[in-house]
């Protein structure tokens, strides 16, 4: 029996070593992509490798990702700025990035946290799961966060190569980078992803399915959000909440906005955190600033970011100062 086990080990050891080597090769190549998985790899790379190190950090979802211009903030304030907003995901992934920020990067002076009806939403599906592919292997902290979703199995975290089975687009992207490195275009500006496309019909398509949408509040996320606020206070990190502009004609699509934002309002009052709400701002009434009802275009992002800075200066947010 002992001889059989030894022979089996001798047979599988080279296979395991080869699989692990191939996994490292695939992951280290894929992770250099600026375009695949919605351009999220550069941001995760900077977080894990301690390269964010900015005085001002932006958190939130896609509306912050597209609508808060890091270059404008840096030019106006003279403070280094990085957007850690993540497309299509709720506060659970934001908190993961917050912890990585504190453990692997310099502590920021201020966090501009964009919030919306979706911030504390219960989401059973993981949007854009491929953004995690190169980072999954033997990553227990990531496994703990993603465990509630069904996109990855136990083996994906513990067995080399398994998670890449069926990922045709990932391998096509790798081949494109190897054949034509110039095709690996940069999409982010210190995390910010500008968008200059024309107005889309996303709202009309959504209303064709249902005239309104009711979000489901995740009580565990409410607790996590309150924990995050406490940690910011304990770390002496400035924090402001921003309800981003949304085009006025689409705002009624969210049926229970007040309910979804109520825990964040309470937190802002209880902790004396400034809450800037732009749903009724003039920007929200003009389609020229948007590419769809919930997202500012590149021009709108510049206009809005300047307005937000002006409002934070007027509110005497101590971490915001006009650059000399």
């Amino acid at each position: 029996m002992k001889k059989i086990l030894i022979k089996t080990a001798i047979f599988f050891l080279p296979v395991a070593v080869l699989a692990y080597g191939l996994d490292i090769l695939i992951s280290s190549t894929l992770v250099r992509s600026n375009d695949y998985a919605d351009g999220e790899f550069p941001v995760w790379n900077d977080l894990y490798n301690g390269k964010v190190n900015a005085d001002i950090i932006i958190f939130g979802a896609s509306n912050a990702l597209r609508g808060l211009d890091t270059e404008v903030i840096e030019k106006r304030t003279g403070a280094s700025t990085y957007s850690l907003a993540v497309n299509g995901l709720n506060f659970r992934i934001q908190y993961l990035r917050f912890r990585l920020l504190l453990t692997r990067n310099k502590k920021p002076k201020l966090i501009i946290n964009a919030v919306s009806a979706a911030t504390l939403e219960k989401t059973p599906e993981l949007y854009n799961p491929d953004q995690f592919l190169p980072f999954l292997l033997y990553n227990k902290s990531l496994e703990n966060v993603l465990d509630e979703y069904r996109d990855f199995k136990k083996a994906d975290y513990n067995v080399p190569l398994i998670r890449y089975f069926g990922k045709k687009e990932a391998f096509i992207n790798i081949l494109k980078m190897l054949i034509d490195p110039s095709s690996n275009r940069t999409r982010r500006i210190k995390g910010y992803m500008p968008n200059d496309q024309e107005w889309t019909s996303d709202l009309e398509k959504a209303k064709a399915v249902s005239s309104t949408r009711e979000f489901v509040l995740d009580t565990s996320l409410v607790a996590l959000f309150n924990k995050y606020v406490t940690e910011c206070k304990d770390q002496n990190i400035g924090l402001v909440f921003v309800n981003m502009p949304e085009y006025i004609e689409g705002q009624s699509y969210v049926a229970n906005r007040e309910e979804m934002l109520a825990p964040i309002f309470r937190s802002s009052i209880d902790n004396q955190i400034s809450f800037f709400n732009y749903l009724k701002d003039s920007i929200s009434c003009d389609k020229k600033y948007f590419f769809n009802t919930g997202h500012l275009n590149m021009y709108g992002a510049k206009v809005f970011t300047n307005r937000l800075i002006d409002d934070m200066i007027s509110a005497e947010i101590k971490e915001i100062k006009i650059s000399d």
Side-chain angles (χ1 to χ4, degrees):
M1 184 66 179
K2 186 176 180 180
K3 289 183 179 180
I4 294 174
L5 290 175
I6 293 173
K7 288 181 179 180
T8 302
I10 292 173
F11 174 78
F12 280 106
L13 183 60
V15 175
V17 172
L18 178 62
Y20 182 66
L22 284 173
D23 192 296
I24 292 176
L25 179 62
I26 292 168
S27 297
S28 62
T29 305
L30 182 62
V31 83
R32 296 201 302 268
S33 174
N34 294 320
D35 190 58
Y36 189 67
D38 210 17
E40 291 288 357
F41 290 154
V43 178
W44 287 113
N45 282 335
D46 286 349
L47 267 173
Y48 274 109
N49 296 321
K51 294 182 178 180
V52 173
N53 296 328
D55 291 327
I56 298 175
I57 294 293
I58 296 165
F59 275 131
S62 57
N63 54 356
L65 178 65
R66 310 282 192 173
L68 286 169
D69 189 324
T70 52
E71 288 187 315
V72 169
I73 296 174
E74 288 193 343
K75 184 177 180 180
R76 287 288 309 278
T77 68
S80 56
T81 304
Y82 200 108
S83 177
L84 294 176
V86 59
N87 196 16
L89 294 168
N90 64 19
F91 185 75
R92 198 172 307 284
I93 305 302
Q94 176 185 315
Y95 185 74
L96 169 64
R97 288 189 163 184
F98 173 68
R99 292 309 311 167
L100 286 171
L101 176 70
L102 293 190
T103 56
R104 294 173 178 256
N105 297 266
K106 182 185 77 173
K107 184 179 71 174
K109 296 178 181 178
L110 174 69
I111 292 176
I112 300 173
N113 204 139
V115 298
S116 71
T119 300
L120 304 178
E121 177 192 14
K122 190 175 184 64
T123 53
E125 296 181 357
L126 182 64
Y127 179 80
N128 189 21
D130 282 11
Q131 67 182 289
F132 302 105
L133 283 175
F135 310 100
L136 285 183
L137 192 62
Y138 310 139
N139 190 334
K140 193 63 180 178
S141 61
L142 194 53
E143 180 181 358
N144 290 338
V145 173
L146 302 181
D147 185 56
E148 70 173 75
Y149 302 102
R150 302 175 183 176
D151 297 82
F152 299 110
K153 298 179 175 60
K154 198 77 174 177
D156 293 321
Y157 300 97
N158 297 288
V159 181
L161 296 180
I162 291 290
R163 68 195 182 284
Y164 285 114
F165 287 176
K167 296 296 182 180
K168 180 181 176 181
E169 290 185 12
F171 287 105
I172 290 174
N173 189 267
I174 289 174
L175 286 174
K176 282 175 62 179
M177 284 195 298
L178 294 175
I179 294 170
D180 181 16
S182 65
S183 67
N184 191 25
R185 61 191 180 92
T186 300
R187 299 182 65 185
R188 303 293 183 101
I189 304 171
K190 293 191 174 181
Y192 164 57
M193 184 186 288
N195 191 310
D196 60 354
Q197 72 184 96
E198 298 295 323
W199 179 264
T200 69
S201 57
D202 292 352
L203 177 62
E204 290 76 9
K205 291 177 182 177
K207 284 189 172 182
V209 177
S210 176
S211 59
T212 60
R213 179 184 171 189
E214 188 164 324
F215 291 77
V216 178
L217 187 68
D218 188 333
T219 54
S220 68
L221 284 186
V222 174
L224 188 64
F225 187 86
N226 290 332
K227 179 183 178 183
Y228 154 75
V229 171
T230 299
E231 289 177 350
C232 284
K233 289 179 66 177
D234 291 344
Q235 293 277 348
N236 198 29
I237 299 171
L239 182 62
V240 298
F241 298 146
V242 180
N243 201 356
M244 299 285 291
E246 294 179 22
Y247 184 52
I248 190 69
E249 291 182 9
Q251 290 184 21
S252 60
Y253 179 65
V254 179
N256 60 334
R257 187 188 303 273
E258 290 186 7
E259 174 194 350
M260 296 301 295
L261 286 172
I264 302 173
F265 276 124
R266 283 197 298 271
S267 180
S268 70
I269 293 170
D270 292 344
N271 295 284
Q272 297 181 311
I273 297 169
S274 295
F275 192 112
F276 298 92
N277 190 346
Y278 293 92
L279 291 180
K280 296 181 180 180
D281 189 86
S282 60
I283 290 178
S284 289
C285 298
D286 197 332
K287 189 183 285 188
K288 72 181 180 183
Y289 296 117
F290 297 84
F291 69 86
N292 65 24
T293 185
H295 299 87
L296 294 163
N297 57 32
M298 188 163 58
Y299 170 66
K302 289 185 183 298
V303 173
F304 171 67
T305 304
N306 274 295
R307 183 165 301 181
L308 174 61
I309 292 169
D310 288 340
D311 290 344
M312 286 195 292
I313 291 170
S314 296
E316 298 183 346
I317 304 299
K318 63 181 182 180
E319 295 84 3
I320 293 290
K321 298 178 182 178
I322 297 177
S323 178
D324 292 333

